[in-house]
Amino acid sequence: MISFTSYDGTVLVCHERGEGPALVCLPGGPGRSSRYLGDLGGLAARRRLFLLDNRGTGESAAPLDPGTYAMDRMVADVEALRVRLGLERMDLLGHSAAGGLALLYAARYPERIGHLVLVTPSVHPAGIEITDEQWYAQIERRAGESWYESRLPDLRAWEAGDESRRLSAQPFFYSPWNETAEAHAARFAERSVEAAERFHTGMPTAEETRAGLAKITAPVLVIAGEQDPGPSPEHAAELAGLFPRGTGIVLPGAHYPWVTAPETFAEAIEGFLGG
């Protein structure tokens, strides 16, 4: 475990797992600790993972100023971690909401990126919008599964703001929905509501972010889950196209491909990082 002090005096914690070249990993949620990333499908056997607990989550301290939960402000935490690790350039991975955080970091510090891996990332910071029609077109692809009809009301209620239905809606974000997926969803359901509510505030404009992404000369991999409603494979491919050296791939599974297709996930990332 590595402790360090960020720009505003908040003490943050990063967990170190595995052996090999460094890969800095940012958890999403938003507001979840890095525990749910695990060893990223066995990737820790090939890479030394530095798993950051974002401010106010896991073992990292909550900030005195709640406004610093904003994604754009948290870019400075990522830079503080890079400095603490002594990396001139770093390989960076962001999942889900933290895919957006990794996007903003890379746009601001393109010279600090060795490789960038975006796993089922948020595409909103880059100005890519997922319409309700597109979202539910992906959702309806699961209509033949036994749990679909009973869990669809949970999904709709959670989307309407009922946080108590969040866990019951999780089958739509794993594929297949089986004992492994259910155990992962239940074990790592906890998140900081305050961090989650403030995460998407105060973002730079999409135009500003896109201009920064166009300056990234490092290779970028955008991973979509075949059954993921957000981002869909099409949205992930659109995001990959914004980078000069962007590549998009589709893996089996949904929003957590390392849980349901661990070997395929780890091999895809290792192939990209080692290429």
Side-chain angles (χ1 to χ4, degrees):
M1 188 175 77
I2 299 168
S3 295
F4 64 101
T5 302
S6 194
Y7 70 97
D8 63 344
T10 303
V11 177
L12 305 181
V13 168
C14 177
H15 302 273
E16 184 178 349
R17 300 189 65 172
E19 300 291 338
L23 176 63
V24 176
C25 304
L26 309 178
R32 298 172 76 180
S33 80
S34 64
R35 291 176 59 245
Y36 82 92
L37 296 175
D39 67 355
L40 286 174
L43 190 60
R46 317 175 197 197
R47 294 277 155 176
R48 188 186 227 175
L49 306 182
F50 290 97
L51 304 149
L52 176 64
D53 283 345
N54 291 319
R55 53 181 52 217
T57 72
E59 297 186 57
S60 290
L64 294 177
D65 177 7
T68 62
Y69 282 124
M71 188 192 317
D72 188 49
R73 303 281 294 277
M74 288 171 61
V75 166
D77 294 339
V78 182
E79 175 62 1
L81 175 57
R82 181 197 66 79
V83 172
R84 171 64 178 82
L85 296 176
L87 299 172
E88 183 68 20
R89 294 163 66 90
M90 65 179 170
D91 292 342
L92 180 65
L93 178 149
H95 172 245
S96 190
L101 174 58
L103 275 178
L104 295 189
Y105 177 86
R108 191 175 302 174
Y109 297 101
E111 73 283 0
R112 298 303 186 187
I113 298 294
H115 295 78
L116 180 62
V117 181
L118 304 172
V119 181
T120 59
S122 169
V123 296
H124 178 67
I128 299 172
E129 299 300 331
I130 301 173
T131 67
D132 289 344
E133 292 77 14
Q134 291 167 329
W135 173 269
Y136 277 101
Q138 278 289 94
I139 291 295
E140 289 170 8
R141 293 181 62 186
R142 313 293 297 276
E145 301 189 41
S146 60
W147 47 264
Y148 180 86
E149 291 296 337
S150 64
R151 297 298 183 100
L152 188 59
D154 294 310
L155 178 69
R156 292 187 182 277
W158 175 53
E159 290 178 329
D162 185 351
E163 186 66 19
S164 70
R165 307 284 282 276
R166 186 173 189 267
L167 182 57
S168 298
Q170 290 308 297
F172 293 96
F173 303 99
Y174 293 83
S175 180
W177 178 247
N178 54 21
E179 290 183 0
T180 299
E182 187 171 8
H184 184 268
R187 184 180 179 191
F188 302 114
E190 185 178 354
R191 69 172 181 166
S192 165
V193 174
E194 183 173 35
E197 289 178 345
R198 293 179 178 270
F199 186 75
H200 292 102
T201 60
M203 286 194 299
T205 66
E207 291 75 14
E208 181 181 347
T209 299
R210 285 182 178 233
L213 301 183
K215 298 175 183 178
I216 298 171
T217 59
V220 179
L221 178 66
V222 182
I223 297 177
E226 183 179 12
Q227 301 284 1
D228 194 5
S232 68
E234 293 75 18
H235 289 112
E238 184 179 352
L239 178 62
L242 299 180
F243 298 94
R245 298 176 64 190
T247 301
I249 63 170
V250 180
L251 297 183
H255 205 62
Y256 304 90
W258 71 90
V259 176
T260 49
E263 292 183 7
T264 302
F265 177 85
E267 288 174 1
I269 293 181
E270 179 59 25
F272 168 71
L273 296 176

